[in-house]
Amino acid sequence: MSQPNPTSQPGTSLFSIDGIRTAIAARETTATAIAEQHFSQIAKSDGEVGAFLALSRERALAQAARVDALAAHGDLDLTTMPLAGVPVGVKDVLMTKGLPTTAGSRILEGFAAPYDATVVTRLEAAGAVILGKCNCDEFAMGSSNENSGYKPVRNPRDLTRVPGGSSGGSAAAVAAGMAVATLGSDTGGSIRQPASFCGVVGMMATYGRVSRYGLIAFASSLDHVGPLTNSVKDAAQVLQVIAGRDAMDATSADVPVPDYVADMQKPVRGLRVGIPKEYFGEGLEPETRALVEAAIEKLRALGCQVQPVSLPHTEYAVPTYYIVATAEASSNLARFDAVRYGHRAKGAKSLSEMYRRSRDEGFGPEVKRRIMLGTYALSAGYYDAYYLKAQKVRTLLARDFELAFAEVDAIVTPTCPAPAFKLGEKTDDPLAMYLADIYTVTADLVGIPGISVPCGETSEGLPVGVQILGKHFDEGTVLRLGAAVE
Amino acid sequence: MATLATPPALTRADFEPVIGLEVHVQLLTATKIFCSCANQFGSAPNSNVCPVCLGMPGSLPVLNRKAVEFAALAAMALNCRVNETSIFARKNYFYPDLPKGYQISQYDKPLAEHGWIDVACSPNNATGGDANGTKRIGITRLHMEEDAGKSLHDGFADSASKTAIDLNRTGTPLVEIVSEPDLRSGDEAYEYLTRLREIILYTGVSDGNMEEGSLRCDANVSVRPRGQEKLGTKAEIKNVNSFRFVREAIAYEIERQIELILGGGTVVQETRLYNSAEGRTYSMRSKEQAHDYRYFPEPDLLPLVVDTKWQAEIRSRLPELPEARRARMVAEYGITEQDAGVLTASRTLADQFESAAKAAKNPKRVANLVQGELMGRLKAAGLEIEQSPVSMAGVAMSADLVEEGKISGKQLKELYDICFAGVAQSENGARGEDFAAVYEREKPQQLSDSVAIEKIVDEVITASPKQVEQYRAGKTTMMAYFVGQVMKATKGQANPAMVNEVVGRKLG
C-alpha cells in the first residue's frame, strides 16, 4: 500500500500543484483525467487506509469539466485560478454544500451541509477539484484518528500505525497519493502532528489569517484551517488561496496577505533561529531528537544564526489547552440537540430525554469526556479556578513568545515527541494521548503560525517532522525556513 | 434581674417592598443582530432564517453596527455611561427555540451602565420622592443580546402532541435594561415603565409594542423590615405582558411575601409566573432548578469598541427627550403642564402639535383643539395622528378662524365632523377631507348682524326673568347661560364675541 499513485510520484510532472496546473493549461492532460486518476487511486488504496468518509465524484467532475472547458478555449488564467484542476480533499469538519458533512461524528450521520465554508468556496473559485471529505477524529478531538465515529485511518507509511489526528484522513490522503493537497484543521496540533506522522507538510497560519466560517467549531479561539501537502511550495500555494479577510468571520484579520511563494523562495541566510530547551527535554524520543537536530544543523549550514531561547511556561501549555479547548467545546457542541438536524433518538418521552438520549447515542466517548470537562471548568464556583486561570496562563505563554521573538525570527522544535504509534496503543490512556500534542498546542494557544516539514525517517522507516513557529502574520518566514529544511 | 422585653410583633406596615425591573426591548434594525436576515414581525414561520440564526454547524456571528448604534442611543437617552469596550458572552442553556444552545449576551462588561430615569410621585413621599414630586430610579446597566425563537404549543393540527418552533425571532437585537432596586410599589414600577417606554419610543430604536413582544418585563420583588439594610429573599416574576399586569403582579407578590413572613414562613428564591385571569403569581422553578448559565466571553466576536468619536456621532442623533420637551413646550407656548403631558405622549404627536402651534396665532387654542376636537375623533376612527384627515395646517387655520371670531366653536365641530365623515367606517381607504377644502365649500354663515343679535338677546332676557334676577343678585356665572341660549337660538351661528358683548351690555 505504500506505493503512491504514479501521478503523484515525486519527480514526475504531475506530482505538484505547479506540475498539474501547468500541464492542464498547456493541454498536456485534463483536469478530468487527473481527477479520474485520483479517484482510481482512492478506489485502490482507501479500503485499507480509510482516509475518506465520502466522495464527491459528481461535483468534482463538473468542476474538472469547467476547468477543461476554459483550457480548451485558451481561457484558463492561472493567476486567477492558481489551483486549476488540482485534486483536493477537505476535512469533514468543513461545510460542503449538498455533501455529507459529519465532523466524523455519528450525531451528524446523513447530514448534508446547507452551505459552503469560505475556504471551500475559495478553493473552488481557484479551480481546485474537491474529491471528497476526509476522515478525522470526531469533532477534531483526538491525536490518532481512532476517535472517528465511522472508521479509523491507517498510516500509509505503516498500516499498523495511526496517521495522527485529528486531521488523520487529510494527512493520509496526501501521503497515499489520493489527493495532491487537503485541508485540515488545527486546534492543538491537528494539522502539524498528522503531517509529521505521515511524512507530509502541514501548515497552520496565524489565528485570523484563514476564515473559520463553515468550519464546524471545536474550540473557537483555537481553531485554524490549513493545508496538508507534499511540499512547502504547495502549502504556500494553497494557503495563498484560502488566506485573507472574510466578512463572515468577525475574528478574521484585515491584514494584507503577502506573496507566500515569493517569500518562501528568499534565502534563509542571516535569519535568527531560536531553539527552546523546553522542547528538547525528557520524553523526546532519541531518534526524533537526532533528526530534528540534523535539520537545525542544515539551517545553520545555510547561514541561519541558531541560538537558544527560553519559553519558561511551556509545561503549563497542555493543561491550559485542555481547559480552554474543552470549555469552548462544551458550548460549541450544545447545538447538536436533535431539534433541527442530526441524530434524534427514537421514542423519547420528554424533551430532556430526547436531548440526553440523542446526545448519548450520537457522541463518542472522547467527545463526551471533553464536554463534561469543559462544562465543569465553566461551572459556577469553578470558573475562576479553571477557565479564568487558564486564560491568564495563555497570556503568560504569549508573553514567552513575545520575548523570544524579540531575539529571533523563528523557533524550531520537533513537531511531536515520537513518531507514529500503533493503533490501539494509547486508546485506553487519554492522558498519554493528550501528551502527543505537547509541542504543538502552544502555537494554537498563542495564535502564531507553524508548519511541520518532514526531516527524515527513523530506522524503522517512520517519518519525523520538524516544526517551525513564527511571529504573528509572518507565515512568509515560516514557509521560507520550511523550504530550506525540505 | 431585668427581663428582656419581647420585641413587639411585626405588622404589615413594618415591611418595605423592594423592586427591581429587567426590561427587554427589541430594536427596530432592518436586519438581525448577527446575520443579514430581515428583522420583521409577522412573517411566515421560519422564513427569515439563514445558517447563522439557525445555528447551523460552522456558522459564525457578525455584529450589526446599526444594532450597536440603536443600543447606545437608548443608553444615552437613559442617562447611562456607554463603555468604550464591552464584551459579548455566551449564556449557555438548552431550549428548543435556542438554536445554538447558548444566547449571545453581555455579562460582566455590558455596553452601558449607571443611568437613571426620573419618575413622578407625590412630593416628599415616604419612598424617596423629592419636594418637586420627582423620584430618581437608577439604571444599573443596559446590555445587548440576541432574542431567542418562539415555541408554539397550540394553534395547529397536531399541537396536542407536538411543539412547533418558529425561528424568525431568533437573532432579533435586544437591549436588556436593568434597574436598581429603587422601586417600592407596583405603582412606582408602572410609572417607571411608562417613562422608560416613552423615552425609548422618542429615540425611535423600538416600537415598544408589548402585544408583539417588542417590550417585555421581568420584576424582582422582595420585602424587608423597614430600616433593615440587607435585602430580603427575592422572587422573580417573569414575562408579564402589560404594564397594568406588572403593577398588579407586584402588588400581589408584595402581599404574598408579607403574609408568608407574618405567618411564620420564609420567602424562597424562585421564578414565578403571573396569571392575569386569577390575579396571582405561581411558582415556576425554584433556585435548585435554576440554570447555571456558565457564562464565558464569546470567542467568535471581538470586544465591542464604541470609541469617543463614534459615541459623539451617536449622541448627535439623540432627539429632544419627553421631559425636556414638556418643559420647553410649557415655556414656549404657554400651555399647562398637563397639556404638555398629553401632547408629548408620542414624539409624532408632539411634532404635529408643534407644527400647528407655530403656524397659528394662539398656540394655547391649538393645544385645546388638538386635545378636545382632534384626538377623540382620531381615536374613534382608529387613526394615528399622522393619518389625520385634518392636516396640521388645517388645525392651525381652524384655530385662527375661531380666534378671529369668524366661526364659532360649534361650527368648528361641525366642520371637523364633515372632515372625518365616513373615515371611521372606512375599510377601503376613505381618507376624509382636509379642513381648508371643507371650509371653502361650506363657508358657514356666521350671524354678525348686530341688530339681529340684539333682537335675539332681548328675547332670551325676556323669557328668563328668574335667571336675570340671579345674575343681577351677583351670580355672574349666569352669563354663560344667556350666551348659551343665544347660540342655541341661532343654531350656533351667532358671532360669539358679539353675543358676549351684547349680553353683557343688556344685563349690565
Side-chain angles (χ1 to χ4, degrees):
Chain A
M1 156 63 255
S2 44
Q3 289 306 307
N5 181 350
T7 62
S8 290
Q9 195 68 265
T12 69
S13 68
L14 297 184
F15 166 71
S16 67
I17 288 175
D18 271 343
I20 287 171
R21 62 185 198 162
T22 48
I24 292 170
R27 300 176 64 188
E28 289 159 15
T29 185
T30 62
T32 305
I34 300 279
E36 288 291 9
Q37 281 163 17
H38 283 83
F39 279 124
S40 311
Q41 179 65 13
I42 292 167
K44 203 165 81 193
S45 307
D46 206 38
E48 46 190 8
V49 176
F52 283 90
L53 288 175
L55 296 178
S56 46
R57 206 182 153 78
E58 206 177 310
R59 178 163 167 170
L61 294 179
Q63 168 81 346
R66 271 195 293 279
V67 171
D68 288 338
L70 286 171
H73 293 95
D75 294 335
L76 184 57
D77 178 357
L78 294 183
T79 57
T80 56
M81 292 184 95
L83 301 180
V86 175
V88 301
V90 172
K91 188 179 181 180
D92 204 32
V93 289
L94 288 162
M95 297 290 269
T96 42
K97 190 172 182 177
L99 297 179
T101 301
T102 69
S105 180
R106 291 283 176 185
I107 209 159
L108 281 177
E109 193 166 8
F111 176 73
Y115 71 97
D116 278 327
T118 298
V119 289
V120 168
T121 306
R122 289 185 180 181
L123 277 185
E124 288 193 322
V129 175
I130 294 175
L131 304 172
K133 304 302 290 291
C134 294
N135 198 354
C136 56
D137 283 305
E138 185 179 4
F139 287 105
M141 296 177 185
S143 306
S144 69
N145 221 116
E146 292 163 293
N147 297 335
S148 167
Y150 298 92
K151 56 186 178 186
V153 180
R154 290 169 185 274
N155 191 324
R157 302 291 293 263
D158 176 348
L159 293 172
T160 66
R161 293 181 187 266
V162 302
S166 65
S167 309
S170 299
V174 173
M178 295 188 281
V180 168
T182 53
L183 291 184
S185 69
D186 194 315
T187 304
S190 284
I191 288 175
R192 292 159 290 154
Q193 185 255 19
S196 172
F197 277 18
C198 291
V200 300
V201 172
M203 172 80 194
M204 175 182 82
T206 309
Y207 184 81
R209 185 61 107 177
V210 179
S211 168
R212 292 185 295 115
Y213 188 74
L215 168 67
I216 298 179
F218 159 15
S220 312
S221 73
L222 301 163
D223 290 343
H224 304 69
V225 181
L228 293 100
T229 55
N230 289 301
S231 70
V232 173
K233 187 175 185 188
D234 284 1
Q237 286 172 321
V238 176
L239 182 60
Q240 193 80 51
V241 165
I242 60 174
R245 166 83 183 147
D246 174 17
M248 298 297 281
D249 175 359
T251 63
S252 105
D254 199 2
V255 176
V257 181
D259 181 337
Y260 287 135
V261 172
D263 279 2
M264 181 200 89
Q265 287 167 338
K266 290 177 190 159
V268 295
R269 178 167 299 280
L271 283 180
R272 296 164 305 164
V273 171
I275 311 299
K277 60 176 183 299
E278 293 84 358
Y279 285 65
F280 290 83
E282 209 184 321
L284 177 58
E285 187 269 330
E287 273 194 287
T288 301
R289 172 196 288 269
L291 288 165
V292 171
E293 284 174 350
I296 293 166
E297 281 317 304
K298 189 173 174 187
L299 289 175
R300 197 196 302 273
L302 289 168
C304 292
Q305 294 173 33
V306 177
Q307 60 189 84
V309 290
S310 181
L311 301 167
H313 296 95
T314 299
E315 61 174 308
Y316 304 112
V318 168
T320 300
Y321 170 78
Y322 276 96
I323 288 168
V324 175
T326 58
E328 293 183 9
S330 71
S331 175
N332 283 328
L333 270 58
R335 70 187 61 197
F336 304 101
D337 59 1
V339 174
R340 286 144 295 124
Y341 50 78
H343 172 73
R344 183 186 287 183
K346 291 193 173 61
K349 299 276 189 298
S350 68
L351 178 64
S352 66
E353 191 190 342
M354 182 185 89
Y355 284 151
R356 268 186 285 114
R357 283 192 29 221
S358 301
R359 288 167 67 84
D360 186 35
E361 293 167 11
F363 289 139
E366 182 61 27
V367 171
K368 288 179 195 166
R369 177 158 39 236
R370 295 198 193 189
I371 290 174
M372 286 187 282
L373 277 171
T375 303
Y376 180 80
L378 290 175
S379 294
Y382 297 96
Y383 179 87
D384 288 2
Y386 293 102
Y387 188 79
L388 198 63
K389 188 178 249 175
Q391 290 294 11
K392 286 178 182 162
V393 177
R394 208 172 164 179
T395 310
L396 294 176
L397 288 164
R399 181 97 184 114
D400 279 1
F401 278 91
E402 218 173 277
L403 292 173
F405 282 131
E407 291 168 30
V408 296
D409 301 302
I411 289 169
V412 177
T413 78
T415 307
C416 307
F421 47 88
K422 300 263 186 187
L423 267 91
E425 193 181 319
K426 298 189 177 181
T427 40
D428 295 332
D429 188 352
L431 273 183
M433 191 76 91
Y434 293 175
L435 288 174
D437 298 334
I438 190 163
Y439 301 143
T440 48
V441 293
T442 319
D444 296 272
L445 287 165
V446 175
I448 53 173
I451 197 170
S452 177
V453 179
C455 63
E457 292 176 2
T458 64
S459 50
E460 286 181 282
L462 297 174
V464 166
V466 59
Q467 174 176 244
I468 300 152
L469 304 174
K471 299 174 186 174
H472 282 111
F473 297 104
D474 189 16
E475 291 86 12
T477 301
V478 170
L479 289 162
R480 178 152 48 133
L481 287 164
V485 167
E486 195 175 37
Chain B
M1 190 167 136
T3 51
L4 284 169
T6 358
L10 289 169
T11 67
R12 317 172 72 81
D14 297 324
F15 286 95
E16 175 185 47
V18 178
I19 301 141
L21 296 179
E22 291 168 16
V23 177
H24 287 87
V25 178
Q26 287 184 339
L27 302 178
L28 278 175
T29 50
T31 56
K32 294 184 177 182
I33 185 168
F34 297 126
C35 62
S36 53
C37 287
N39 172 28
Q40 205 173 353
F41 182 82
S43 303
N46 299 309
S47 59
N48 299 330
V49 292
C50 73
V52 175
C53 54
L54 287 175
M56 280 291 164
S59 64
L60 295 171
V62 176
L63 181 60
N64 180 344
R65 250 182 100 84
K66 204 81 208 165
V68 176
E69 294 181 351
F70 278 19
L73 194 68
M76 289 169 183
L78 297 170
N79 307 298
C80 291
R81 200 168 70 209
V82 174
N83 290 321
E84 187 152 323
T85 303
S86 62
I87 307 273
F88 284 95
R90 291 189 186 175
K91 179 179 180 178
N92 295 284
Y93 65 97
F94 283 95
Y95 205 71
D97 59 25
L98 187 71
K100 299 187 296 298
Y102 55 84
Q103 178 192 30
I104 302 177
S105 181
Q106 295 187 307
Y107 185 54
D108 50 4
K109 293 201 175 112
L111 177 71
E113 294 169 276
H114 311 299
W116 45 264
I117 298 179
D118 280 339
V119 302
C121 61
S122 41
N124 299 315
N125 72 0
T127 69
D130 66 15
N132 299 319
T134 300
K135 179 175 172 183
R136 182 156 290 186
I137 307 300
I139 291 174
T140 316
R141 56 188 273 150
L142 177 149
H143 70 250
M144 299 182 69
E145 60 187 27
E146 58 179 338
D147 211 340
K150 271 183 193 163
S151 295
L152 308 168
H153 303 287
D154 41 42
F156 47 98
D158 48 359
S159 33
S161 60
K162 289 186 172 156
T163 293
I165 314 278
D166 178 5
L167 297 176
N168 282 346
R169 197 177 73 176
T170 310
T172 296
L174 288 179
V175 288
E176 179 175 335
I177 301 159
V178 182
S179 85
E180 289 288 316
D182 289 345
L183 301 159
R184 294 289 173 267
S185 67
D187 287 338
E188 280 188 6
Y190 183 90
E191 186 63 22
Y192 168 84
L193 288 170
T194 306
R195 292 282 84 86
L196 172 65
R197 180 169 181 275
E198 187 182 70
I199 292 167
I200 294 291
L201 289 181
Y202 262 63
T203 63
V205 303
S206 177
D207 61 18
N209 186 329
M210 287 196 93
E211 288 81 60
E212 293 178 1
S214 34
L215 194 149
R216 309 194 287 267
C217 178
D218 303 333
N220 289 307
V221 180
S222 64
V223 299
R224 63 183 172 192
R226 281 184 201 287
Q228 177 182 306
E229 190 125 342
K230 194 170 164 281
L231 292 171
T233 306
K234 70 174 180 186
E236 183 180 21
I237 312 169
K238 278 233 171 267
N239 268 332
V240 194
N241 60 12
S242 82
F243 292 174
R244 189 163 63 85
F245 291 155
V246 172
R247 176 161 62 191
E248 289 171 12
I250 289 171
Y252 173 85
E253 186 59 22
I254 291 168
E255 283 307 304
R256 186 189 72 86
Q257 293 185 13
I258 294 175
E259 295 271 326
L260 192 61
I261 295 167
L262 290 177
T266 45
V267 176
V268 294
Q269 188 173 334
E270 60 182 351
T271 304
R272 298 179 72 86
L273 288 178
Y274 181 64
N275 181 322
S276 57
E278 296 176 26
R280 49 172 295 185
T281 61
Y282 284 95
S283 180
M284 183 174 124
R285 58 171 179 252
S286 70
K287 190 186 176 188
E288 286 69 37
Q289 298 163 285
H291 300 293
D292 175 358
Y293 291 119
R294 307 190 315 280
Y295 281 100
F296 73 105
E298 166 57 282
D300 287 332
L301 291 168
L302 303 176
L304 169 59
V305 177
V306 187
D307 59 17
T308 324
K309 185 167 165 265
W310 196 11
Q311 288 196 29
E313 254 175 68
I314 297 167
R315 195 174 288 281
S316 72
R317 284 173 241 160
L318 198 62
E320 186 181 25
L321 294 171
E323 212 183 302
R325 189 163 197 173
R326 279 192 280 274
R328 179 178 59 75
M329 278 168 47
V330 167
E332 197 169 328
Y333 305 117
I335 61 177
T336 65
E337 288 205 18
Q338 199 185 340
D339 287 345
V342 174
L343 292 169
T344 52
S346 81
R347 192 172 149 187
T348 325
L349 176 60
D351 289 347
Q352 299 275 335
F353 162 74
E354 286 206 61
S355 72
K358 283 188 199 324
K361 294 193 165 67
N362 182 353
K364 274 190 72 157
R365 190 177 289 281
V366 173
N368 293 337
L369 219 161
V370 168
Q371 294 175 85
E373 302 300 336
L374 198 59
M375 288 173 68
R377 284 183 175 79
L378 288 170
K379 196 172 177 202
L383 295 179
E384 298 299 325
I385 183 90
E386 59 270 34
Q387 302 164 303
S388 171
V390 179
S391 67
M392 289 305 119
V395 170
M397 179 185 174
S398 62
D400 285 354
L401 287 169
V402 177
E403 189 71 21
E404 292 156 5
K406 292 191 178 144
I407 59 172
S408 68
K410 180 149 187 284
Q411 285 168 332
L412 180 134
K413 282 181 202 288
E414 286 165 3
L415 292 171
Y416 270 46
D417 284 342
I418 297 169
C419 293
F420 274 83
V423 174
Q425 295 80 13
S426 162
E427 295 217 340
N428 48 6
R431 292 259 170 83
E433 270 183 289
D434 201 352
F435 183 82
V438 172
Y439 176 75
E440 287 308 322
R441 191 176 64 236
E442 304 289 327
K443 271 276 160 65
Q445 293 306 306
Q446 186 155 37
L447 186 59
S448 298
D449 175 346
S450 59
V451 178
I453 290 176
E454 289 207 20
K455 185 167 171 265
I456 297 164
V457 171
D458 286 339
E459 283 166 20
V460 168
I461 287 176
T462 314
S464 320
K466 216 184 278 172
Q467 286 83 353
V468 173
E469 205 173 302
Q470 286 173 351
Y471 180 87
R472 294 201 166 126
K475 197 173 178 194
T476 51
T477 48
M478 285 312 291
M479 179 83 174
Y481 165 82
F482 294 105
V483 174
Q485 290 299 307
V486 175
M487 294 311 275
K488 195 174 163 192
T490 60
K491 298 195 167 64
Q493 289 180 353
N495 181 324
M498 290 177 70
V499 175
N500 270 302
E501 189 270 324
V502 175
V503 171
R505 177 157 46 78
K506 299 249 174 203
L507 288 173

